[in-house]
């Protein structure tokens, strides 16, 4: 008697998500990536309801071993691998490769961050896997792309920051380049990955066919600088291309703490001057545009700092209210109980076998009709091996 078990029947053998469906509920993602960009891109897909299986080598994702102030676990690994099932497969051995191939048959998406050339050596390049599943969306996250002289070079967030000019522009005038901490290129690449995979899945609904999707850290780093990457034919190489609007917009000291102020529009500039008692500056035609204020910031900023010494950063934040865009400088710890974060339901409570109970970020997008299931903690190494291997064996037997 033929086996009529469907993909959905097989998927149901694995732990089910709790809560509402999301726009990607029913989509299966195989996440072979490591570090931050690829894994967090897959976490964004999991936020939207996709079932994500994190496939690690026997030694585990290198991010598990990164320095962490969290005892017995990597804070970074927990943060970028929420809502995933976990299994170890040694793709250098035939058994691990065959199990992956079995999982590919029921997968919608596969994501990896191997350097070009490595997937072919492992037997998991696009051509080989799309022969197994022509509907597969195959996403390769690389450092520099698939072509060119740097294609085989390892890419990392801060390496790409330094290469693409971000660190030079971040540094102070006449000072050394400075890194933008927080893995900004990785996280933006993750967002590009999530969007690109979702677009490819949408196109598949029309064509019925999968395709190769390429995302790179180089593209992410340059995409973040699109406003700077404009070079008119008439301009010299050393033309300033930064977006900073002058010393008024920025972080300023107060009586206690620091305050970021943005007052570029006429409306906000007027409110800033009135609330700080600088009405004489407001009436001065020398300062009546953003460009003029930037040119004369050495005259304005000392007056502003003198006025800001009257109150603390939090007090100025309250006094400015909605009239002057601003924020008192806070720590990330403040965000766990910040009223606006709570109102937007951005923090979830997680339970982890080793860490125990902890709070962490919940999801990055809001969908009114399909909000998505509840998140759960990042997997332990090989945590869901029994269930996933049982499915892989079933799929292997059926074919």
């Amino acid at each position: 008697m033929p086996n009529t078990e469907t993909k959905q029947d097989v998927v149901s053998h694995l732990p089910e998500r709790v809560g509402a469906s999301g726009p990607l509920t029913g989509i299966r993602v195989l996440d072979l990536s490591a570090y931050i960009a690829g894994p967090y891109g897959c976490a964004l897909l999991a936020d939207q309801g996709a079932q994500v299986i994190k496939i690690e080598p026997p030694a585990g994702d290198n991010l598990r071993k990164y320095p962490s102030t969290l005892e017995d676990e990597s804070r970074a690994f927990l943060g970028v691998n929420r809502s995933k099932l976990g299994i170890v497969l040694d793709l250098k051995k035939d058994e691990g490769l065959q199990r992956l191939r079995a999982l590919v048959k029921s997968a919608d998406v596969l994501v990896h961050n191997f350097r070009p050339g490595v997937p072919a050596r492992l037997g998991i390049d696009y051509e080989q896997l799309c022969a197994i599943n022509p509907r597969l969306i195959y996403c390769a996250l690389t450092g520099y792309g698939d072509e060119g002289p740097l294609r085989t070079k390892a890419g990392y967030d801060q390496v790409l920051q330094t290469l693409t000019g971000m660190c030079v522009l971040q540094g102070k005038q006449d000072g050394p380049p400075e890194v933008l901490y927080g893995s900004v290129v990785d996280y933006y690449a993750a967002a590009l990955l999530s969007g690109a995979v979702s677009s490819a899945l949408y196109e598949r609904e029309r064509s019925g066919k999968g395709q190769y999707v390429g995302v790179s850290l180089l593209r992410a780093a340059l995409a973040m600088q699109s406003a700077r990457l404009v070079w008119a034919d008439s301009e010299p190489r050393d033309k300033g291309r930064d977006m900073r609007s002058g010393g008024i917009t920025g972080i300023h000291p107060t009586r206690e703490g620091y305050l970021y102020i943005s007052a570029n529009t006429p409306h906000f500039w007027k409110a800033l001057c009135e609330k700080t008692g600088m009405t004489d500056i407001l009436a001065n035609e020398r300062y009546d545009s953003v460009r003029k204020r930037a040119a004369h910031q050495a005259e304005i900023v000392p007056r502003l700092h003198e006025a800001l010494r009257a109150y603390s950063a939090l007090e100025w934040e309250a006094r400015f209210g909605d009239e002057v865009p601003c924020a008192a400088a806070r720590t990330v710890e403040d965000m766990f109980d910040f009223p606006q974060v709570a109102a937007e339901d951005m923090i979830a409570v997680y339970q982890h076998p080793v860490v125990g109970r902890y709070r962490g970020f919940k999801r990055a997008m809001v969908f009114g009709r399909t909000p998505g299931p509840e998140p759960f903690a990042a997997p332990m190494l090989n945590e869901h091996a029994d269930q996933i291997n049982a499915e892989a064996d079933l799929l292997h037997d059926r074919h």
Side-chain angles (χ1 to χ4, degrees), residues 67-115:
S68 174
T69 55
L70 187 65
E71 189 174 356
D72 298 324
E73 189 54 90
S74 164
R75 194 183 308 276
F77 184 86
L78 293 181
V80 302
N81 286 286
R82 62 177 175 268
S83 304
K84 300 180 185 180
L85 307 174
I87 186 174
V88 166
L89 293 180
D90 188 348
L91 300 182
K92 296 180 179 179
K93 295 183 177 180
D94 185 66
E95 179 184 4
L97 179 61
Q98 293 310 316
R99 287 191 181 278
L100 175 65
R101 288 173 175 265
L103 291 172
V104 165
K105 294 173 184 176
S106 65
D108 298 284
V109 179
L110 182 142
V111 176
H112 71 73
N113 66 340
F114 297 117
R115 281 180 271 179

Side-chain angles (χ1 to χ4, degrees), residues 100-383:
L100 175 65
R101 288 173 175 265
L103 291 172
V104 165
K105 294 173 184 176
S106 65
D108 298 284
V109 179
L110 182 142
V111 176
H112 71 73
N113 66 340
F114 297 117
R115 281 180 271 179
V118 173
R121 292 201 301 271
L122 291 174
I124 60 167
D125 59 324
Y126 173 66
E127 287 73 18
Q128 295 185 68
L129 296 189
C130 76
I132 297 173
N133 180 358
R135 288 174 54 82
L136 183 69
I137 306 300
Y138 182 103
C139 181
L141 174 69
T142 60
Y144 300 87
D146 296 318
E147 307 295 336
L150 299 182
R151 63 187 296 270
T152 60
K153 185 179 176 68
Y156 294 94
D157 181 288
Q158 294 171 11
V159 174
L160 270 298
Q161 284 190 37
T162 307
L163 173 73
T164 61
M166 296 175 71
C167 294
V168 170
L169 286 169
Q170 180 70 10
K172 297 178 177 61
Q173 190 173 9
D174 300 324
E178 295 182 11
V179 164
L180 289 73
Y181 288 102
S183 301
V184 292
V185 174
D186 278 340
Y187 280 104
Y188 191 60
L192 294 177
L193 187 157
S194 172
V197 166
S198 297
S199 294
L201 287 169
Y202 175 76
E203 192 280 335
R204 192 183 70 173
E205 290 302 301
R206 297 179 170 185
S207 67
K209 300 176 182 179
Q211 64 177 302
Y212 178 90
V213 175
V215 178
S216 73
L217 298 185
L218 176 59
R219 287 184 182 275
L222 294 181
M224 291 175 70
Q225 301 183 83
S226 292
R228 295 169 175 168
L229 282 170
V230 177
W231 189 342
D233 289 345
S234 60
E235 292 182 317
R237 176 183 175 85
D238 60 355
K239 184 73 172 180
R241 292 183 172 81
D242 200 9
M243 290 291 293
R244 282 174 279 196
S245 55
I248 293 83
T249 293
I251 296 178
H252 301 282
T254 68
R255 187 180 68 190
E256 181 182 347
Y258 289 84
L259 182 77
Y260 182 89
I261 296 173
S262 179
N264 290 326
T265 68
H267 172 75
F268 293 138
W269 170 245
K270 180 175 183 291
L272 175 65
C273 289
E274 290 176 346
K275 287 187 171 292
T276 55
M278 299 191 302
T279 52
D280 59 312
I281 289 181
L282 177 62
N284 194 325
E285 292 183 356
R286 285 164 53 83
Y287 313 133
D288 64 4
S289 73
V290 175
R291 184 168 294 185
K292 288 181 180 179
R293 292 193 289 273
H296 298 292
Q297 60 182 289
E299 303 165 15
I300 303 173
V301 172
R303 285 284 308 276
L304 177 61
H305 286 181
E306 180 183 358
L308 292 176
R309 280 197 289 269
Y311 302 100
S312 71
L314 290 175
E315 289 170 332
W316 276 117
E317 189 181 71
R319 293 175 73 88
F320 286 149
D322 296 334
E323 297 180 68
V324 179
C326 67
R330 293 172 169 83
T331 66
V332 70
E333 289 78 11
D334 293 323
M335 293 298 99
F336 285 93
D337 299 299
F338 192 64
Q340 185 63 30
V341 172
E344 284 288 300
D345 191 26
M346 295 183 186
I347 300 295
V349 175
Y350 297 86
Q351 192 68 37
H352 188 272
V354 173
V355 179
R357 181 183 179 274
Y358 70 92
R359 291 185 292 167
F361 188 69
K362 187 172 184 178
R363 59 169 60 94
M365 290 159 276
V366 176
F367 296 93
R369 185 171 53 81
T370 56
E374 293 300 309
F376 58 91
M380 298 286 289
L381 186 65
N382 214 30
E383 181 176 347

Side-chain angles (χ1 to χ4, degrees), residues 16-20 372-376:
E16 293 184 5
R17 301 288 297 273
V18 176
E374 293 300 309
F376 58 91

